[in-house]
Structures are given as C-alpha cells and as structure tokens.
Amino acid sequence: MAIDRRREAAGSGPGRQPPPAEENGSLPPGDAAASAPLGGRAGPGGGGGEIQPLPAPHPAAAGPHPGCSSAAAAPSLLLLDYDGSVLPFLGGLGGGYQKTLVLLTWIPALFIGFSQFSDSFLLDQPNFWCRGAGKGAELAGVTATGRWDAGDVANWTSPPTTPFSTASWGAAGNVSNGSGADGGDTPPLPSPPDKGDNASSCDCHAWDYGIRTGLVQNVVSKWDLVCDNAWKVHIAKFSLLVGLIFGYLITGCIADWVGRRPVLLFSIIFILIFGLTVALSVNVTMFSTLRFFEGFCLAGIILTLYALRIELCPPGKRFMITMVASFVAMAGQFLMPGLAALCRDWQVLQALIICPFLLMLLYWSIFPESLRWLMATQQFEAAKKLILHFTQKNCMNPESDIKGVMPELEKELSRRPKKVCIVKVVGTRNLWKNIVVLCVNSLTGYGIHHCFARSMMGHEVKVPLLENFYADYYTVASIALASCLAMCMVVRFLGRRGGLLLFMILTALASLLQLGLLNLIGKYSQHPDSGMSDSVKDKFSITFSIVGMFASHAVGSLSVFFCAEITPTVIRCGGLGLVLASAGFGMLTAPIIDLHNQKGYFLHHIIFACCTLICIICILLLPESRNQNLPENISNGEHYTRQPLLPHKKGEQPLLLTNAELKDYSGLHDAATAGDGLPENTTANGMKSM
C-alpha cells in the first residue's frame, strides 16, 4: 500500500502516465499537438534540433493526456496543431488578410522608434555658462553635472522592443563631450578644477546653454537641471526605463490572461493620454512621473505587437517578419535628428512623437485577437468566429478544409477556456531553465553594451570624429544596422542557437581583450623605447568597442526573439515580458553609473565580462527552434529540449534513442532486418553479447 501511494504521489498511478522529458527533443504522443503532423525533420540548415514526428496512436490504445484526468478531457490534437492544420487551412501568409495584419504590425514600429530614442534629444546634457558672460566666456561645465567628471557616455543601447529593433537606445544616456552649440570646437579640459573652483563656477542664477541636438530648448535648459540639480536628469532617464520594465512584466501577464488585443488597445489609449500630458509638464517631477507611465504603456504596445507578429507567421517566415519590423524601427532612429531639428522645441517634439499613435485607435475595428492564442487556450467559440472571418476576408471556399478543422471545432465548442499564467513555469523541468538562460543573455547583452559605448566615446578617446553629437548618434546607429544585417546571414546558416553562441563569443572576446590587452598596452606605452603611444591604445579601444557593440546588440536582440519562439503560446507574452524586463535592467545600469559619476565603471565591465563566459556555457543547453512549430501549451514547451549543436553524420547512431524508437522498438526492428550480416553473438545495437 505504501508503494502504491508513493506511485500515485509521483504521478505514476494507473490514471496518470506523464512521460519523462527526453534530452533529444522528442515529443511523446498526446503531450504535444504538433507532434504528429510536423512533417519530419528540419531542413539541412536547421542546426540539428527538431521535434521528432511520432505515429498517431490507435484510439483504443491512446493513453490519457498528461494534463487531464481522463482521455475524454483532452481536446482534439488537430485543433491544437495550429502550424500543422489551422494555419495551412487559412493559407498561411498567402492570404491577403494575413498580409494586411502583418503590415499593420510593421507600421507602429516607426512610432515606437521615435518614442524610444526621444530621450537622446529631450534630455541631452548641453554646455552651459552664466547668462550675460557671453558665448566666448569660459564654460561653467562641459557636462550638465557641473562636476567636471568623465562625462555622460553615449549609451544608445538598443531597445528591447523587437529583437532586432535597432540600434541603441537613447533612454539610457546621451553623449556629453566638449562639443557645444558652435560646432564642437571647444577644447577638452585637461584636468578637473578643485572643489572651490567648481563651487564658484556653479555660483550663478541664470544660465545660457549650447544644445547640440537641433532643439532651441530641451528639458535640461527649461528647468536649469545643472550643478546641484543635475541628478534630476538621471532620474528622468530612469523613469522611462523603469516604466518599461514594470510594463513588460505586468502587461505580459495580462495579455496571456485577457488576450493580446485588449492590452494593445488600452495601451494605445493611455499612451496618448500620458504622452501628450508630458508635453504640458510644469516641472521636472511631473515630467519624470508621466514618463514612467508613458514607458509603461509603450511596453504594452511593444510586447503585444511582437507576440502578434510571431503568432501570425508560419515557421519559415517568423525571422524575416521580425527583421522587417526592426528595420522599420531603425528608420525611426535615423529620422529622429531631422524631426528634432524641424520641431525646435522639446514640447512640440514630444507631441509630434505621440500624435501618430492616434492612427492606431483604428486597430479596435480592424485588428482581431490572436487566433493562435484562442486555439491554445481552448476558446473555440471565439476561434470559430475568427476563422470564418478569415475565410470571408480571403474569399476562401469552406470545402478547402481538407483536414477537417471546422468539423472538429464544432465538436469542441462546449469546452471551457483554459488560460495559464507565467507562474506555472516554476513547476516545469526544462522550460524555466530555457527562459532563465535567455533572461541572463538579454541582461548581459544590453548591460555590457554601455561599457563598449563608453570606451568608444568616453573622454579618454581623443578622436575628432566622435566629438560631435550627430557623429556619435549615427555611428552607434550604423553599428546596430550592421549588426542586424549580420544576424540575417548568421541565423540563416547557423540557426538561432548557433548564431546566439557566435555573437556571445565575440562579445566575450571583445570585452576580455579590452580589459586585459589595453592595460598591457598602457604599461608598455610608458616606456619610451616600446614604440607604443596612447594613440595606439585609443585605436585598439575603438576597435574592440565597435566589435563589442556590434556583437552585444545581436546577443540582446536574438535572445528576445529566441524566447518568443520557445515559449508556449499560452504564456508567450509573460515569457517575453521577463526577457524584455531583463534587457531593461541591463540598460538601467548605464544611468546608475552616470549618476555616480562613472564610479564603479571598471567593476561594472568586469562583472558583465564574467557573465558572457557563463552565458556561453548556458547557450549550449538551449534547443534549436529554426523551422520548428511554435509550442502551444506548457507540455509542448517542456519537451522542447536541446539537441546536439552539430547534426549526426549520415549512418551514425545517436547515443540516445528518440521516444518513438523506445516505444515501437523501430531501432531493434531495423537491426533485426540486417541481422544476417552480423555475428551470432552481436545484439541489435551492434554490441557483442557475453
């Protein structure tokens, strides 16, 4: 009796037989809806990872679904196999209506790009001097801190909007060097003044500013956020980032529970309210508070559009569709300086950035709920109406339903919805590990990006080209553009996991060489006969920084996309929210370091360099998702486990048999057919018996 009770407690009783998660990625029958009709292995470039197809079990012999108490409670596998049955029935992306919906997810990426890069212009820290002293008078400070520190570093770390959403994000910091409104001809100061000089330089009641971003007035100059008030600039930068972090976490959970469409529409309404109110701020406290809520709503738009874009696409088109959205967001980054020069005032610029979201109010009537999410959560009544809407928009013939999706749907209309929260991941064995690995990768990629940006554009690198705001801005944007283009090629040949591993190795190498080799060069440059000078060190620093920014941008972006593919549909927004929030925490380190006048920067770089080494090992534990169907429920995601990084050679027997081979003994059957050519004392797997 004690043994029977222990078996029942472990889930091995007669009414419950959950198969163990296999290391090779196979899905047992009944656990994954997409297992039977997957259509075989991935293409030759698939990277060796796939979910193995299994023969459909006989109805009388099929066991109960692991997540249900009886076989009658399990929905039809045909309905849960969205990529294998429902999407082909609707024509994939071949239908005109689906193409329209994908286009509608691309257009807002331009508006999102404007919002994400706005801090680079609204909160740029200009040169300043006492009013009435004249423009040629000695500057009170070459940074808005008034403390003559190393300067705020260009930290346009790429936003976690889309994995490839482009380049660097201005919300995390701005370049603040010796270039003023006169074109950057102010020479850098060789050494900071003492405390008394600094106190006297800030002993002024009115200031004039040299703003470099094309604006006549910004937030810093409007409320004189210099000297003793300079810390308020960094708090204003925190506000948008912290709002994004909380928005990703909260709206992700809500979108998995109530749907993507309601969260998208309510986020649009509230970003219009808070975003336009930001332009009417009367002080910096009001500005920072409203920017927090603007970031919160912006996170809801970013997250839901990302999930909708992924869930609309068939397996072979997901990466391409996401990349197009990222390039559209990059267009917003490249157009932002011209928009700022056109507006001239920060309030007009803020209003112009938010007003295009008015067009998205039309999405209430033209953008439907995610059909994939409705099917995965067993909301078959709403799914049936949406399928009929799709067929009507695409002018499809209902008789084209070869696999019988609609008849099966009619049988399941009375089923109650089954929604899942992201906290269910805690009870899984493999899925939570995959999400945690991608969270750490995202945190590391976006966090170390600031280290490379500071090394390239910091005060210690005396490069005339990088002493101009627009040169800084477009240099970082160009590096991000090159990173996105490289991702397209690398992921095509190496897959998601191979590409992520390659870019993480490049990030680690650039970081370690910058920390170690540059210090070695600095020691040798002190010897007159060494042949090395500070200019050599600066050139190496710029080179390693460019490589590091290039690779770390790809790491962060690819981690977000990877998470969207391996997280089940029922909790996809929650999983995306975790990874995007991790990216936000990585970017949050930049204004924190700036707030403390770059104190702890070297330790900051060392910590993230160590994290890159850990991530290289952890990436090997991830599955390969290229050309694979999206997992729809927790069971699918739990058995979506890793494959060998390199595929098996032809004729080579893997060390671990697949689930299908273990159940129907196909491996033994194949060996038995070739038994005539084996010695009598040889077993089916080629090993000699004793």
Side-chain angles (χ1 to χ4, degrees):
M1 295 296 294
I3 296 176
D4 292 339
R5 283 195 296 270
R6 284 196 298 268
R7 287 179 177 175
E8 291 175 2
S12 58
R16 184 178 177 88
Q17 300 176 359
E22 294 297 331
E23 187 71 13
N24 56 13
S26 61
L27 288 178
D31 271 344
S35 58
L38 280 178
R41 305 174 65 90
E50 74 275 344
I51 300 177
Q52 302 289 343
L54 300 177
H58 191 275
H65 193 277
C68 305
S69 59
S70 63
S76 171
L77 297 180
L78 184 67
L79 297 180
L80 296 182
D81 180 22
Y82 189 88
D83 286 315
S85 58
V86 180
L87 195 59
F89 167 56
L90 298 176
L93 279 181
Y97 188 54
Q98 288 91 314
K99 293 180 180 178
T100 302
L101 294 180
V102 170
L103 179 63
L104 290 176
T105 66
W106 286 342
I107 295 175
L110 182 66
F111 313 149
I112 292 171
F114 288 149
S115 297
Q116 287 174 329
F117 298 108
S118 60
D119 269 6
S120 298
F121 300 85
L122 300 180
L123 296 171
D124 177 57
Q125 298 172 315
N127 300 330
F128 58 95
W129 55 88
C130 271
R131 183 171 300 169
K135 196 171 184 179
E138 181 180 358
L139 296 180
V142 293
T143 68
T145 62
R147 301 179 185 176
W148 301 87
D149 59 4
D152 293 326
V153 183
N155 182 45
W156 293 292
T157 312
S158 112
T161 68
T162 65
F164 316 103
S165 100
T166 74
S168 327
W169 202 17
N174 297 309
V175 175
S176 182
N177 50 33
S179 59
D182 53 355
D185 54 354
T186 302
L189 298 178
S191 60
D194 56 23
K195 184 176 180 180
D197 292 339
N198 187 37
S200 62
S201 64
C202 286
D203 187 14
C204 187
H205 301 288
W207 303 95
D208 285 329
Y209 297 92
I211 303 176
R212 307 161 300 157
T213 59
L215 296 175
V216 175
Q217 184 185 62
N218 67 358
V219 174
V220 177
S221 63
K222 181 176 178 62
W223 292 305
D224 292 329
L225 303 181
V226 295
C227 292
D228 293 337
N229 292 323
W231 61 273
K232 296 180 181 180
V233 178
H234 302 291
I235 299 301
K237 293 176 183 178
F238 291 162
S239 60
L240 186 67
L241 275 175
V242 175
L244 282 166
I245 292 172
F246 279 95
Y248 289 135
L249 294 174
I250 296 175
T251 60
C253 295
I254 297 175
D256 285 331
W257 196 258
V258 303
R260 285 73 164 120
R261 183 170 177 263
V263 174
L264 174 63
L265 297 175
F266 277 100
S267 298
I268 293 170
I269 293 172
F270 283 105
I271 198 175
L272 287 170
I273 296 173
F274 291 117
L276 292 176
T277 311
V278 167
L280 304 177
S281 299
V282 296
N283 53 50
V284 68
T285 303
M286 180 178 177
F287 175 87
S288 300
T289 304
L290 292 174
R291 287 286 280 181
F292 170 85
F293 291 106
E294 180 187 349
F296 188 97
C297 299
L298 184 63
I301 297 175
I302 292 169
L303 188 65
T304 51
L305 285 176
Y306 196 91
L308 287 168
R309 195 180 298 122
I310 290 288
E311 292 173 355
L312 278 170
C313 303
K317 301 293 181 62
R318 292 192 297 258
F319 187 76
M320 178 193 69
I321 297 301
T322 307
M323 284 301 301
V324 173
S326 73
F327 288 122
V328 174
M330 289 189 72
Q333 180 186 10
F334 279 95
L335 293 175
M336 192 64 193
L339 199 64
L342 181 66
C343 295
R344 305 294 291 171
D345 186 81
W346 74 270
Q347 293 174 306
V348 178
L349 177 63
Q350 173 67 18
L352 191 61
I353 288 171
I354 297 298
C355 283
F357 286 103
L358 287 169
L359 300 175
M360 295 187 67
L361 292 175
L362 300 175
Y363 281 38
W364 181 268
S365 59
I366 61 178
F367 209 100
E369 183 55 84
S370 171
L371 178 58
R372 186 188 293 269
W373 177 77
L374 292 175
M375 299 290 286
T377 54
Q378 302 178 20
Q379 301 181 64
F380 295 125
E381 182 69 33
K384 177 187 174 183
K385 297 179 181 179
L386 189 54
I387 289 177
L388 294 176
H389 179 68
F390 270 76
T391 56
Q392 180 183 3
K393 288 289 186 179
N394 291 328
C395 301
M396 296 175 57
N397 186 358
E399 296 179 358
S400 62
D401 185 10
I402 301 176
K403 295 188 177 182
V405 174
M406 295 303 292
E408 288 291 334
L409 194 59
E410 293 286 348
K411 299 176 184 178
E412 304 287 348
L413 292 180
S414 60
R415 185 176 297 277
R416 296 182 61 184
K418 187 178 180 181
K419 299 177 182 179
V420 185
C421 184
I422 187 64
V423 295
K424 292 289 185 181
V425 173
V426 178
T428 61
R429 180 182 177 185
N430 297 310
L431 183 58
W432 75 271
K433 297 178 184 177
N434 294 336
I435 294 178
V436 168
V437 168
L438 291 173
C439 285
V440 176
N441 276 269
S442 180
L443 172 68
T444 303
Y446 286 106
I448 203 171
H449 191 279
H450 168 70
C451 301
F452 292 121
R454 181 188 183 277
S455 297
M456 185 175 72
M457 300 178 185
H459 70 291
E460 70 274 11
V461 180
K462 309 299 188 301
V463 181
L465 178 63
L466 300 180
E467 292 182 1
N468 180 272
F469 173 83
Y470 295 106
D472 292 337
Y473 187 86
Y474 284 113
T475 296
V476 178
S478 300
I479 292 173
L481 176 61
S483 178
C484 290
L485 294 174
M487 274 191 293
C488 295
M489 297 182 288
V490 171
V491 172
R492 179 178 180 182
F493 291 101
L494 299 181
R496 279 61 159 157
R497 184 176 58 167
L500 183 59
L501 181 62
L502 175 62
F503 286 119
M504 184 60 78
I505 291 174
L506 289 176
T507 304
L509 288 175
S511 180
L512 295 175
L513 289 174
Q514 191 169 59
L515 289 172
L517 183 60
L518 292 184
N519 287 334
L520 184 63
I521 294 176
K523 291 180 180 179
Y524 276 102
S525 62
Q526 297 176 0
H527 299 283
D529 56 346
S530 63
M532 295 185 180
S533 61
D534 290 339
S535 62
V536 175
K537 180 182 176 181
D538 292 342
K539 291 178 181 178
F540 273 108
S541 178
I542 293 175
T543 302
F544 294 145
S545 298
I546 292 175
V547 174
M549 294 172 67
F550 171 87
S552 61
H553 176 268
V555 166
S557 299
L558 199 52
S559 297
V560 179
F561 178 72
F562 208 160
C563 179
E565 288 196 316
I566 67 174
T567 306
T569 300
V570 292
I571 56 170
R572 178 162 294 119
C573 285
L576 271 173
L578 290 175
V579 177
L580 290 170
S582 299
F585 277 114
M587 290 184 289
L588 196 60
T589 60
I592 292 176
I593 294 294
D594 293 340
L595 182 61
H596 291 84
N597 298 321
Q598 306 298 327
K599 293 179 181 178
Y601 159 76
F602 188 72
L603 180 61
H604 173 209
H605 197 169
I606 289 178
I607 292 174
F608 279 116
C610 295
C611 289
T612 59
L613 301 178
I614 298 174
C615 290
I616 290 173
I617 300 173
C618 294
I619 289 172
L620 299 175
L621 303 176
L622 295 174
E624 175 55 60
S625 59
R626 180 170 60 166
N627 293 330
Q628 300 300 317
N629 295 350
L630 292 176
E632 304 298 338
N633 49 43
I634 297 289
S635 181
N636 292 167
E638 177 66 4
H639 292 89
Y640 206 65
T641 50
R642 70 178 176 88
Q643 285 280 345
L645 190 61
L646 299 176
H648 297 293
K649 297 180 181 179
K650 187 175 182 180
E652 179 183 357
Q653 184 178 9
L655 297 178
L656 295 176
L657 297 176
T658 63
N659 231 18
E661 292 172 329
L662 290 174
K663 289 183 178 297
D664 61 11
Y665 301 99
S666 60
L668 298 179
H669 176 73
D670 294 338
T673 58
D676 295 337
L678 295 176
E680 293 182 359
N681 61 342
T682 303
T683 59
N685 61 1
M687 298 295 292
K688 290 186 178 182
S689 61
M690 299 300 294

